[in-house]
Amino acid sequence: MTLGDHLDGSLTPDVAELLIVVASVEDARALAPLGRPGSVVTDEPVRPVLVATGPDPLGVDAELDELDAPAGRLLLLDGPSRGWAEEAARLVVRLDALIAGEPPAGVVVRGGSEAALAAARSAVEVGVPVLHLPVPASDARSAATGAVVAELAAWQTSPEGGVPYPTEIDLLVHRRLTPAPSRPRHAGDPNVVRMSTARSSRSSLSA
C-alpha cells in the first residue's frame, strides 16, 4: 500500500500532505529540514507540511521562520492553558479537527509531547499512518507520554490495527533528516595529492 491509498480519490499526489507536528522549539530545530523549500523533491508522493502547535505555537512558528522552514499550519490554543490537562484537551480538539477534517497522507510526531499524543490518537482513529520519532525524555511525564505514542503507532501497524507500516513516510523523513555523507576522496580528484611510490633522495609530489 502506498501513501496515495490513504487519500481521497479526488486528490492528486502533488497536493497530498504529510503533516509534521512541531510542538516545541526543540521539535522545530530537529524537524526543520522536512519543511525547507530547498529540500523538496518534486517526484515525492507527498508534500511535508509543518504544523506549529504545542503550548507556545507562536514561539514555534517564529523559530521555524528563523530556520527557513515556515509552518504551513499554525494551531493557536485560544489563550494560555492552566496546566497540562487543559493544554492536552485543547490540543485534542484542534488536532482532531485538522486531521479528521481533511485526512492527510500521514502524520509525523516526535517525542512525548501532548501534541504528539493528541495527533497520534486522531490519526489512529481515522486510519492515517503515524510515524513516531523517539527522543530522550526530559521528565517522567514526557517519558510516559512518549511510550504511549510509540504503543499507538505500533498497534496501528499490528494485525489488530490493520494499517501497513508507513515505509514510504519513514524513508522520506529519514532521508531528509539524515545529513548527506561526505563523498570519499579519490586519487583522480583535483584536490588530492598523490605521493610518489618511487624511492629517491628527494621527495616528489604530483598533483
Side-chain angles (χ1 to χ4, degrees), residues 11-32:
L11 295 177
T12 55
D14 62 328
V15 298
E17 292 184 344
L18 175 63
L19 297 184
I20 316 297
V21 177
V22 188
S24 65
V25 168
E26 291 75 19
D27 278 0
R29 292 168 183 165
L31 300 173

Side-chain angles (χ1 to χ4, degrees), residues 163-200:
V163 175
Y165 184 79
T167 303
E168 288 182 277
I169 294 175
D170 196 331
L171 292 174
L172 183 154
V173 168
H174 286 91
R175 181 170 63 247
R176 293 194 183 188
L177 294 182
T178 302
S182 58
R183 186 176 66 86
R185 300 176 73 183
H186 299 286
D189 291 349
N191 61 338
V192 173
V193 175
R194 299 190 303 274
M195 296 294 297
S196 172
T197 57
R199 293 177 176 240
S200 67

Side-chain angles (χ1 to χ4, degrees), residues 3 7 11-20 45-51 72-73 98 102-107 128 169:
L3 298 182
L7 303 174
L11 295 177
T12 55
D14 62 328
V15 298
E17 292 184 344
L18 175 63
L19 297 184
I20 316 297
V46 294
R47 178 170 59 91
V49 175
L50 302 180
V51 180
R73 301 283 191 281
L98 175 65
E102 294 185 19
V107 173
V128 169
I169 294 175

Side-chain angles (χ1 to χ4, degrees), residues 84-98:
W84 70 268
E86 186 172 340
E87 174 196 335
R90 291 182 177 184
L91 283 167
V92 166
V93 172
R94 297 304 307 275
L95 285 162
D96 188 65
L98 175 65

Side-chain angles (χ1 to χ4, degrees), residues 64-144:
L64 289 172
D65 283 344
E66 287 292 323
L67 295 168
D68 191 30
R73 301 283 191 281
L74 176 62
L75 297 187
L76 300 175
L77 296 186
D78 302 322
S81 300
R82 292 170 292 185
W84 70 268
E86 186 172 340
E87 174 196 335
R90 291 182 177 184
L91 283 167
V92 166
V93 172
R94 297 304 307 275
L95 285 162
D96 188 65
L98 175 65
I99 294 169
E102 294 185 19
V107 173
V108 178
V109 296
R110 178 179 182 270
S113 66
E114 298 301 332
L117 177 57
R121 289 179 62 188
S122 296
V124 168
E125 176 68 22
V126 297
V128 169
V130 177
L131 179 65
H132 176 234
L133 304 177
V135 296
S138 59
D139 53 46
R141 184 162 60 85
S142 62

